């Protein structure tokens, strides 16, 4: 732990199955980060409650998302992996921060306005104060760095505002959390239908899930859009072909990629062969993760142990923060 100085905090939403985009866009980076930083990875189960899910299903999703993240290489000995609802200090900090959050600024949040439009019948206070809970999550362990995607930048900006407000009023307790920048490595995994990126809200056939079986992976890849190939050397690749090459770069050897690049350049490429190769390499990549996630998910004793240990470590760290907060605020009467 000694050389791990900076604290990294990231939330994991327990919604849906992890897909290849989540793996290369997020989880793989977490696996690297956990070696160099003091990392806290939190499964955000309380956040999900804003949409009133069936909590029996939520429990299954929490178990699955934990199993999938562990199978991808999150190491519960290196990083603190925990469930939000197991750390009540989160709720305590959330309450204190709510006193510093103005209704007007919360109402202006883009994600809140979107939700109001999508679900006008369920505009609950939890939805309005979502950025406050998210701030409590982020600063609970006094994290300096938060690996976030573009869509989360407004929330991080709000977290910084709440932190500044707190520090200004009560004294410096929290560092201002900064977006962790992976630079070049923040890649987008394209979807298989040639448009946009893989996402759980997209066409299910265009996204490869880490839980997909071999046949399904094969089927999805063979269905990917292609054409009859380039007709002149040096012809630019259409988007859907660029995407296939991008996917190949993720899971195939550099030699294999080079072989198909050369075939493209000489107009001799056979997309059927390319997709067969990509499917084989993808199966080789996803298969072991799927099997591992499956066996972890069956082992509820192990999963519960991971959650319990994670919660204990997270609570130790969170209670230190809360102690500092209370001292700064003068909420220490004995
Ligand atoms: P989804 O888009 O499927 O709803 P989330 O919004 O839950 O996924 O994203 C979880 C993490 O995975 C985020 O860090 C996000 O940036 C990353 N991510 C999601 N899809 C992709 C993708 N196609 N390529 C790269 N990263 C992605």
């Amino acid at each position: 732990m000694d050389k791990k100085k900076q604290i990294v905090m990231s939330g994991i939403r327990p919604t849906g199955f992890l897909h290849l985009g989540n793996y290369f866009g997020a989880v793989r980076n977490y696996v690297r980060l956990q070696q160099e930083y003091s990392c806290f990875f939190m499964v955000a189960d309380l956040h999900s409650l804003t949409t009133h899910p069936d909590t029996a299903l939520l429990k299954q999703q929490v178990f699955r998302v934990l199993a999938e993240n562990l199978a991808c290489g999150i190491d519960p000995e290196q990083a603190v992996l925990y469930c939000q609802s197991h750390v009540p200090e989160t709720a305590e900090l959330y309450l204190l921060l709510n006193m510093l959050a103005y209704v007007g600024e919360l109402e202006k949040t883009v994600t809140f306005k979107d939700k109001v439009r999508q679900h006008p019948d369920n505009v609950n206070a939890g939805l309005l104060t979502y950025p406050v809970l998210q701030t409590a999550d982020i600063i609970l362990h006094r994290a300096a760095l938060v690996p976030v995607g573009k869509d989360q930048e407004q929330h991080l900006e709000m977290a910084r505002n709440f932190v500044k407000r707190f520090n200004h009023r009560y004294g410096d307790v929290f560092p201002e959390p900064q977006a962790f920048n992976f630079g070049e490595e923040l890649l987008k995994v394209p979807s298989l239908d040639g448009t946009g990126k893989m996402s759980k809200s997209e066409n299910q056939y265009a996204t490869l899930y880490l839980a997909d079986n071999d046949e399904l992976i094969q089927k999805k890849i063979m269905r990917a859009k292609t054409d009859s190939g380039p007709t002149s050397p040096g012809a630019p690749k259409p988007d859907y072909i660029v995407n296939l090459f991008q996917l190949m770069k993720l899971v195939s050897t550099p030699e294999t990629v080079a072989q198909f690049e050369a075939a493209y350049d000489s107009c001799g490429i056979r997309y059927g062969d390319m997709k067969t190769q990509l499917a084989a390499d993808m199966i080789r990549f996803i298969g072991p993760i799927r099997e591992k996630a499956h066996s972890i998910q069956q082992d509820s004793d192990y999963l519960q142990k991971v959650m319990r240990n994670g919660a204990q470590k997270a609570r130790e760290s969170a209670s230190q923060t809360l102690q500092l907060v209370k001292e700064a605020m003068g909420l220490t009467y004995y």
Side-chain angles (χ1 to χ4, degrees), residues 143-156:
L145 299 171
V146 188
V148 286
K150 280 245 168 299
D151 50 338
Q152 291 293 322
E153 265 164 20
Q154 191 184 17
H155 284 162
L156 191 57

Side-chain angles (χ1 to χ4, degrees), residues 16-265:
F17 291 78
L18 288 191
H19 54 72
L20 208 64
N22 300 138
Y23 179 83
F24 284 105
V27 188
R28 185 180 62 157
N29 295 323
Y30 296 171
V31 172
R32 253 200 339 244
L33 284 177
Q34 70 185 356
Q35 293 159 16
E36 292 166 41
Y37 296 88
S38 177
C39 289
F40 291 85
F41 300 127
M42 177 273 297
V43 177
D45 58 340
L46 295 176
H47 280 288
S48 316
L49 298 175
T50 53
T51 56
H52 303 166
D54 174 345
T55 47
L57 278 181
L58 179 61
K59 183 173 171 181
Q60 272 179 30
Q61 287 180 327
V62 166
F63 274 63
R64 191 178 57 232
V65 83
L66 277 169
E68 289 190 325
N69 275 277
L70 291 163
C72 289
I74 300 280
D75 176 359
E77 298 299 322
Q78 274 193 312
V80 180
L81 179 62
Y82 70 99
C83 219
Q84 191 183 24
S85 63
H86 291 160
V87 181
E89 287 78 5
T90 306
E92 200 176 347
L93 186 55
Y94 167 60
L95 181 146
L96 297 172
L97 290 174
N98 262 323
M99 310 306 177
L100 299 174
Y102 296 102
V103 172
E105 66 185 332
L106 296 172
E107 280 172 341
K108 275 194 287 189
T109 313
V110 175
T111 41
F112 176 70
K113 289 198 287 194
D114 287 347
K115 296 276 180 195
V116 171
R117 221 170 298 126
Q118 290 158 6
H119 308 285
D121 53 335
N122 182 25
V123 185
N124 59 64
L127 210 52
L128 181 68
T129 57
Y130 194 99
V132 186
L133 182 54
Q134 200 168 44
T135 301
D137 295 330
I138 292 171
I139 68 176
L140 189 61
H141 310 288
R142 283 163 289 145
L145 299 171
V146 188
V148 286
K150 280 245 168 299
D151 50 338
Q152 291 293 322
E153 265 164 20
Q154 191 184 17
H155 284 162
L156 191 57
E157 188 60 43
M158 291 184 81
R160 271 198 293 273
N161 285 339
F162 295 141
V163 161
K164 279 187 222 158
R165 229 172 270 167
F166 182 96
N167 287 348
H168 179 70
R169 183 168 290 272
Y170 299 115
D172 279 338
V173 171
F174 298 105
E176 284 177 33
Q178 305 298 323
F180 190 93
N181 193 351
F182 288 104
E184 295 290 300
E185 289 146 44
L186 199 60
L187 51 88
K188 288 255 169 291
V189 178
S191 77
L192 282 167
D193 60 6
T195 57
K197 60 183 189 105
M198 286 194 187
S199 156
K200 55 180 153 306
S201 48
E202 284 299 309
N203 168 6
Q204 295 304 290
Y205 260 98
T207 295
L208 292 165
Y209 290 90
L210 301 181
D212 284 349
N213 65 34
D214 293 355
E215 293 72 30
L216 192 53
I217 296 170
Q218 171 101 13
K219 222 193 246 169
K220 286 181 177 178
I221 291 177
M222 296 317 281
R223 275 176 50 140
K225 181 176 173 184
T226 53
D227 52 33
S228 51
T231 48
S232 61
K237 298 187 184 94
D239 287 351
Y240 46 92
I241 299 299
V242 171
N243 289 355
L244 281 186
F245 273 99
Q246 250 177 288
L247 290 169
M248 193 167 231
K249 281 187 196 135
L250 296 175
V251 294
S252 303
T253 63
E255 293 73 33
T256 302
V257 178
Q259 180 199 328
F260 284 98
E261 289 280 8
Y264 183 89
D265 289 340

